[in-house]
Amino acid sequence: MTAAFRPSGPPLPEGAVRQEDLRDLNLKVVFQRILEAGSPISRTELATATGLTRPTITRIAEELLAGRLITEKGVTHNGRAGRPRVGLTLSDRGPAGLGLDIRADGLAACVVDLTGTVRHLTFAPMPPTGRDAEAVLGSLIRMGCEAIEAVTVKELTVVTATLAVPGPVDGGVVRIAPALGWRDVDAGTFLADLGVPCVVDNEANLAAMGELYAGDDPLGSFLYVSGGLGIGAGIVLDGRLMRGARGWSGELGHVTVEPEGAACACGSRGCLETYASTGAILGALPGATNRTDAREGAVPHGVVPGEAGDIFERINPGSVITTRAEAADPAALAALDRAGSALGIALSGAVNVLDIDTVLLGGSFALLSSWLTDSVRAEIDRRVLTASWSPVTVRPTLLGPDAAVIGAALTSIDQIRRRPTTWLAHQS
Ligand SMILES: [Zn+2]
């Protein structure tokens, strides 16, 4: 029996390539070279690198300069003295990406320019009405509009916004976010008031993309695990985010650590979140307020349970857990050890299946990494089959707790980096 063979890529165009398609392709190739160069590159170097003629390079450079995608900067070639040659590099005045994030300690907004530099970063507490979807999204729209206005004076134009949420997303709809008490919240439609196209995505995925963009290895493989009110993971293999068949991969918080363990907000028992979420760690500290009970039970459509108004301030790992751990409080150290072991057990399963060699601790885990890393590493060394030949690296993230909002902003601008012609089409 012979299996049918089908080509895996899109169908090839019929007939000759259209002239304007060729022009767009050449423009993308030149822009990609400028982007990859990392420092100013001359027109002559671009012609050599791309194989295009000097007049073609000159025409494309003019188009990119007029569209504020690149700028001219003086460079000296090979370090030799003499008149500086003019190089081309990415512009820091032009298109920009907006990121928005709902996190354990409040709301965040960030704008990055085309070079990936953060140009605006603001934080705000949760609205007084707590995690109510309308109030939270309303606050984010205000923060987003202020950010868009603030960067306009820097000659930046926000083209897209991306919202990071702690749960699986379907289109613009947040299917479930137990940490917020949200179910089937159409955040994408709500955020249309921002006035720019808005994408909604899982915060762990966006944070993982932020780490990938910020790191030195564009083809890296790692598992980003985000701690907080919930626990999520972003899986990056060979530089690509693995979203899963329905885009819902990475729900590490609901991996079973103890089959007969405590009840979880998701309806199961013994999930990782019942040991290592911020609420679970706080719950093990005598005298610390633990409101994880507010998350249990049925969650009404788009509405949150009551008395959650100040939960984000009370469950601030920086102000409660770390303070006690720094004071060597035995209960805090024991809770963190237990959380680290549970995290290590859940991560071992993922590492055994995915062959990941690096685990990045993000969100509140980044702040708590000095107390978590040893127990996480001990479980991984014990449970990962290949650990004795190739140890798994466990370390805090580069971007720390801001990984998701920066990753969201970088994801927004990445569309222009990949498809500069879409921006240019709107400029003419
Ligand atoms: Zn669960």
Side-chain angles (χ1 to χ4, degrees), residues 253-255 264-274:
H254 302 286
V255 165
C264 178
C266 74
S268 183
R269 302 193 79 84
C271 296
L272 174 61
E273 281 193 13
T274 65

Side-chain angles (χ1 to χ4, degrees), residues 18 38 58 73 78 126 142-144 150 154 165-166 170 174 203 211 216 239 271 283 291 315 337 382 391:
R18 290 187 308 148
T58 302
K73 279 198 177 152
N78 293 336
M126 291 298 284
R142 275 191 296 281
M143 290 176 77
K154 299 173 182 173
V165 293
D170 190 1
V174 184
E203 63 95 18
E211 291 296 322
D216 294 330
C271 296
R291 294 285 174 168
I315 304 186
D337 189 53
R382 220 171 107 201

Side-chain angles (χ1 to χ4, degrees), residues 295-320:
R295 294 160 48 196
E296 293 183 356
V299 179
H301 178 91
V303 179
V304 296
E307 69 162 347
D310 58 345
I311 190 169
F312 289 86
E313 286 174 26
R314 279 180 277 135
I315 304 186
N316 181 344
S319 66
V320 180

Side-chain angles (χ1 to χ4, degrees), residues 103-138:
R103 45 200 262 180
D105 54 355
L107 308 174
C110 173
V111 177
V112 298
D113 63 25
L114 200 55
T115 71
T117 303
V118 174
R119 303 293 298 277
H120 179 90
L121 184 60
T122 49
F123 303 95
M126 291 298 284
T129 46
R131 299 172 293 174
D132 171 72
E134 209 165 300
V136 169
L137 294 170

